[in-house]
Amino acid sequence: MSKTMIMAIGGVGCNMSETIMREASVHWVREATYIFADTDQARLSDLGKKRYQTIDLKDSDIPRDIMKGVEKLYILAGLGGNAGGAYIADLANFAKNVGIHNVSAIVTTPFYFEGEKKITKAKEAIEALNGVKTKILHNDDLLEKYADINFATAFNYADLSVLKAIESSEI
């Protein structure tokens, strides 16, 4: 098992991780252990067909040995939806409880047009990460920075900025 683990939570985290796996240029990032965690059974099934290691977040018994030997954990998630914001702090605490002292989170916040409920949920999730090194990417910044391109391309650029942060050990 790799000493570095990248754990994707929910749709956004899983999309980020797939981009990272495809685009990574640094050896230790390519060789990291990738875990895909979600509550969406269809997504977990699709990820399993790709032979990715998955965790059903609805299952309260996450196997402790899944993180055995891990020294550095990156948790990737979009906040404000059903999986990322709801589970990220629990997974970060779980990792610390099994002995991983170097836990980092890279998260995205909802667009302003997604509404106050999602924005509030994201803020609460960020606050719950108290004590975890966290890099926050604001989706609204994508609208400003990449206003002249489509959403898919903008999200790919965001995923690549996450990869850059990991490869350069910014977080």
Side-chain angles (χ1 to χ4, degrees), residues 7-11 13-14 35-41 43-44 54-63 66-67 75-78 81-92 94:
M7 180 176 282
I9 304 174
C14 291
I35 304 290
F36 293 81
D38 207 337
T39 57
D40 182 324
Q41 296 304 308
R43 182 176 293 123
L44 289 172
T54 62
I55 295 175
D56 183 350
L57 292 172
K58 292 179 183 175
D59 183 357
S60 61
D61 296 325
I62 296 172
I66 202 164
M67 294 184 187
I75 304 173
L76 312 179
N82 293 327
Y87 292 95
I88 193 166
D90 291 342
L91 288 169
F94 178 83

Side-chain angles (χ1 to χ4, degrees), residues 2-14:
S2 173
K3 293 180 185 248
T4 301
M5 177 179 282
I6 297 175
M7 180 176 282
I9 304 174
V12 172
C14 291

